[in-house]
Amino acid sequence: MVPTTTLGTTGPTVSRIGLGAMGMSGMYGRSEDAESTATIHAALDAGIDLIDTGDFYGSGHNETLIGAALSGRRREDVTLSVKFGAMRGPGGTWGGVDNRPDSIRNFLAYSLQRLGVDYIDIYRPARLDPSVPIEDTVGAIGELVEAGYVRHIGLSEVGPETIRRATAVHPIADLQIEYSLISRGIENEILPLCRELGIGVTAYGVLSRGLLSDSLRSNSALAPDDFRSHSPRFQGENLRQNLRLVDTMAELAAQHGVTVAQLAIAWVLAQGGDIVPVVGARKVTRLTETLGALDVHLSAADLAGIAAAVPDSAVAGDRYAPAQMAQLDSERTTVGQS
């Protein structure tokens, strides 16, 4: 079974690895609901109880899928982490962020309905809304906590100033933010501050959207509807340079008798018990591979060697396109970091 940890000093106890469900709703190309449902069931059966979603993933499809998969399961056996605020339009277009208090209550009502539950374990704005003070956003979620519709408040992709201001309003369980062997920007200020304030970290992008795995080494062709086909790290010479880093990782992984993905997950797990990797797996086979990372034990020398062999300074391309990078409050403190 999967070991557990507590998110920060005020958050829930969750599995040491979480399941990220975004890829089950078309962000990485076509997915099959039946296979996604089987993956959710396999994760729960293995002891993964943290499931992360967003109300905008597939414009509600992801929550509906999860709700159906959880039907018949005990509510208390699942920790649901939900992001809100990203606006979608017909045809999958994006329309900015809305974190106004009235909007939050509206978003939550729809999430509860789609998920088929009467409370959300961790509720968080997906991005900072520059037109709404974070105090207003957190205060509104705090009222939902008092009303019993939300258990804990989380944040996503915000920087130190925003974290401090949010914490002054209400205890924050965790910060969800990208963190991987090749995206280490949070180590400078954000991670130390979270530890100072007793805030856990749920790390997404641990596999850098599949880059840190074997999936692209033999075939790097991406479908037009795959999010990565527009991501800087997956373009032309950037991708070729990044795959050379992955080849180096593959050599290191072979020395440990594991896959590239398992080594990447194990590296993040080893950075501290307060960091929970949220790994996106759309198929049971990928989930099984993910679980294998729990059996990988890396010494201090191993960790240092891996970090030196695959430096984040050698990564080509930002983690998002320019328009999306501009929305990341967290990047205000990590300029020049991958």
Side-chain angles (χ1 to χ4, degrees), residues 76-113:
E76 59 269 28
D77 290 342
V78 184
T79 300
L80 290 171
S81 167
V82 179
K83 293 182 289 296
F84 68 85
M87 305 296 288
R88 303 296 301 271
T93 58
W94 295 91
V97 179
D98 184 356
N99 289 348
R100 294 173 297 169
D102 285 344
S103 298
I104 294 171
R105 288 184 281 270
N106 176 76
F107 294 146
L108 178 67
Y110 281 93
S111 287
L112 293 172
Q113 178 70 26

Side-chain angles (χ1 to χ4, degrees), residues 142-158:
E143 292 176 359
L144 295 171
V145 173
E146 292 178 2
Y149 294 116
V150 172
R151 294 288 172 85
H152 303 277
I153 300 177
L155 299 172
S156 176
E157 287 288 358
V158 293

